[in-house]
């Protein structure tokens, strides 16, 4: 005998909220860490920091070799990605991608799984992972460019799935090494939340030239495999697009350092169209975002200013701006763990720092505030660091 239970909209909504609360509580009681990539040409390392469960402050940095080499001047988004108990990162100087396992009782010492894998291209900038299809992909820049994908195994690590990278020509056409922030450079790679497609961004004009728009590539996932034929979208009103992040399967936030940020719509056929454009006052290089469902906010960081701009994920409207120590030079990549935003700050004279911003109370009108600056130079981490990720993700 089969019983069918029909819930009223009010009860269903209450259950959904309860599930979110339980999920937050489970994550809040776990051991937490934040990671960045020390992009050292002599030998790249993942830098892990302990996150205090109650205060959010960071401490006790640990370095773990990626097995590859960094590259001075390399840039991009999603250089470090955490999903479940795995961490993935790139080593731009050795053209490799590395996979690590994370011990949930000791997440500060990730273990390399297998060996670093060759990316079949040059200067890998960004990595994406889908736990649904157990596939990691990497975005290569430089003359040999495009996207290469790998299967993942908890014991063996990475195994290449492709003969050559997925082509992104002629939009992606660069020198050795690719110049930082130049037109036609590889910038970001990520799956949508449902893992039904893989997306990549190629920077258009690095100034305000309207004749050089940004290009978006979307490869559908078919029968658990990332296809080799992309859906290509060119948005004429977006040029200097540096990074993207999904708010949901239909909506993405992208940064454009010619004006600020934009919400874009993703159709069922994977075509991308501009939805809302947000001009950020006095922005110089809005390049990265972090999204928090808990606080219903998007946080935009600017490489040349020490202001975090907070946006509404539905309208793109600016909620507030969060300043921190101006001597740090600027805000690079960032990641959110529970009630705190972790920002990588890479000022030329200040070196590499992690800034901790307390988000508590921001749903009730309180402006987030900086509560800690942690200097990474004491463990010989310089200002060539890349990426930010947290565990659990």
């Amino acid at each position: 005998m089969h019983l069918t239970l029909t819930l009223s909209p009010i009860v269903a909504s209450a259950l959904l909220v309860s599930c979110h609360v339980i999920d937050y509580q489970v994550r809040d009681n776990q051991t937490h860490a934040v990671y960045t990539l020390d992009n050292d040409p002599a030998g790249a390392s993942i830098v892990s920091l302990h996150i205090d469960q109650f205060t959010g402050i960071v401490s006790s940095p640990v370095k773990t070799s990626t097995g590859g080499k960094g590259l001075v001047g390399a840039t991009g988004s999603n250089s470090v990605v955490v999903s479940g108990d795995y961490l993935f990162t790139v080593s731009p100087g050795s053209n490799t991608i590395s996979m690590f396992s994370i011990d949930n009782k000791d997440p500060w010492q990730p273990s390399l799984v297998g060996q670093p894998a060759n990316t079949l291209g040059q200067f890998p900038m960004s990595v994406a992972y889908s736990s649904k299809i157990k596939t990691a992909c990497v975005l290569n820049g430089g003359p040999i460019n495009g996207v290469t994908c790998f299967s993942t195994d908890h014991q063996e690590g990475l195994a290449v799935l492709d003969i050559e990278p997925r082509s992104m020509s002629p939009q992606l056409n660069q020198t050795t090494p690719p110049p930082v922030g130049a037109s036609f450079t590889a910038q970001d790679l990520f799956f949508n939340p449902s893992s039904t497609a893989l997306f990549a961004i190629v920077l258009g004009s690095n100034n305000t030239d309207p004749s050089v728009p940004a290009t978006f590539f979307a490869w559908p996932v078919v029968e658990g495999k990332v296809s080799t034929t992309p859906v290509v979208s060119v948005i004429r009103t977006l040029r200097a697009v540096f990074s993207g992040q999904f708010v949901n399967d239909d909506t993405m936030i992208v940064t454009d350092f010619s004006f600020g940020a934009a919400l874009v719509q993703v159709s069922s056929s994977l075509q991308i169209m501009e939805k809302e454009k947000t001009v950020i006052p006095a922005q110089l290089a809005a390049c990265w975002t972090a999204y928090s469902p808990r606080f219903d906010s998007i946080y935009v960081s600017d490489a040349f200013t020490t202001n975090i701009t907070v946006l509404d994920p539905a309208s793109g409207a600016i909620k507030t701006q969060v300043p921190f120590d101006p001597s740090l030079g600027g805000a690079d990549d960032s990641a959110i763990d529970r009630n705190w935003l972790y920002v990588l700050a890479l000022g030329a004279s200040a070196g590499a720092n992690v800034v901790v911003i307390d988000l508590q109370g921001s749903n009730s009108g309180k402006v987030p505030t900086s509560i800690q600056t942690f200097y990474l130079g004491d463990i010989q981490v310089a200002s060539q660091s890349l990426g930010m990720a947290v565990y659990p993700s």
Side-chain angles (χ1 to χ4, degrees):
M1 182 176 68
H2 298 280
L3 296 177
T4 301
L5 178 63
T6 302
L7 300 177
S8 72
I10 294 176
V11 173
S13 177
L15 284 174
L16 181 62
V17 171
S18 298
C19 289
H20 281 303
V21 170
I22 292 170
D23 179 60
Y24 286 143
Q25 288 174 343
V26 169
R27 292 186 72 251
D28 288 356
N29 291 330
Q30 288 183 274
T31 306
H32 295 254
V34 62
Y35 308 96
T36 187
L37 173 66
D38 179 16
N39 185 40
D40 187 345
S45 300
I46 286 294
V47 179
S48 312
L49 295 115
H50 180 279
I51 297 177
D52 185 272
Q53 181 179 349
F54 303 103
T55 66
I57 64 172
V58 296
S59 62
S60 308
V62 177
K63 274 184 166 184
T64 304
S65 173
T66 66
K69 296 180 179 180
L71 176 71
V72 173
T75 187
S77 301
N78 284 318
S79 303
V80 182
V81 169
V82 171
S83 177
D85 291 335
Y86 297 108
L87 181 150
F88 300 86
T89 192
V90 292
S91 295
S94 56
N95 305 326
T96 53
I97 174 178
S98 301
M99 174 181 174
F100 293 84
S101 64
I102 300 173
D103 183 342
N104 60 13
K105 296 180 180 177
D106 183 12
W108 313 289
Q109 300 191 66
S111 300
L112 188 64
V113 182
Q115 296 297 316
N118 188 285
T119 64
L120 306 185
Q122 294 178 318
F123 313 113
M125 303 293 188
S126 182
V127 62
Y129 176 67
S130 166
S131 60
K132 182 178 179 180
I133 62 172
K134 296 181 172 58
T135 299
C137 299
V138 64
L139 175 60
N140 294 287
I144 305 175
N145 57 61
V147 173
T148 305
C149 292
F150 303 81
S151 64
T152 60
D153 181 85
H154 69 283
Q155 290 184 326
E156 301 297 328
L158 299 158
V160 68
L161 294 171
D162 304 314
I163 298 174
E164 60 184 6
R166 289 158 183 77
S167 174
M168 298 170 70
S169 296
Q171 287 86 353
L172 187 53
N173 181 18
Q174 276 305 331
T175 58
T176 304
V180 178
S183 301
F184 308 115
T185 47
Q187 295 301 334
D188 203 359
L189 184 72
F190 45 92
F191 284 93
N192 61 356
S194 63
S195 288
T196 54
L198 175 69
F199 292 78
I201 295 173
V202 174
L203 183 76
S205 171
N206 63 349
N207 50 50
T208 56
D209 183 357
S211 68
V212 189
T215 305
F216 296 80
F217 291 78
W219 292 270
V221 173
V222 181
E223 296 181 352
K225 304 293 184 183
V226 179
S227 65
T228 55
T229 303
V231 176
V232 180
S233 299
V234 177
I235 304 179
R236 298 290 170 184
T237 54
L238 301 178
R239 294 177 292 277
V241 175
F242 195 88
S243 70
Q245 183 176 19
F246 275 93
V247 175
N248 53 54
D249 250 12
D250 303 323
T251 305
M252 186 195 305
I253 180 73
V254 299
T255 57
D256 185 320
F257 60 76
S258 67
F259 64 86
L263 289 171
V264 297
Q265 191 79 26
V266 182
S267 73
S268 58
S269 61
L270 304 180
Q271 292 287 342
I272 298 174
M273 300 155 286
E274 183 184 314
K275 184 179 178 183
E276 299 289 345
K277 190 173 182 178
T278 302
V279 177
I280 298 177
Q283 77 86 32
L284 296 175
C287 290
W288 296 273
T289 62
Y291 170 55
S292 171
R294 176 180 284 195
F295 294 103
D296 193 32
S297 294
I298 296 166
Y299 303 87
V300 181
S301 52
D302 187 317
F304 296 142
T305 69
T306 52
N307 281 324
I308 303 297
T309 301
V310 186
L311 306 182
D312 182 284
S315 67
I318 296 175
K319 291 183 175 183
T320 189
Q321 287 191 311
V322 184
F324 60 91
D325 186 352
S327 71
L328 298 179
D332 281 61
D333 215 342
S334 62
I336 295 171
D337 177 49
R338 297 166 294 162
N339 298 319
W340 300 280
L341 175 69
Y342 297 89
V343 182
L344 182 63
L346 299 175
S349 59
N353 293 270
V354 175
V355 178
V356 183
I357 295 174
D358 188 356
L359 305 177
Q360 295 178 89
S362 56
N363 279 341
S364 304
K366 182 181 177 182
V367 176
T369 55
S370 172
I371 59 172
Q372 184 192 20
T373 298
F374 188 92
Y375 179 54
L376 294 175
D378 290 339
I379 57 167
Q380 289 74 54
V381 176
S383 55
Q384 72 264 13
S385 300
L386 292 173
M388 288 290 276
V390 295
Y391 176 85
S393 59

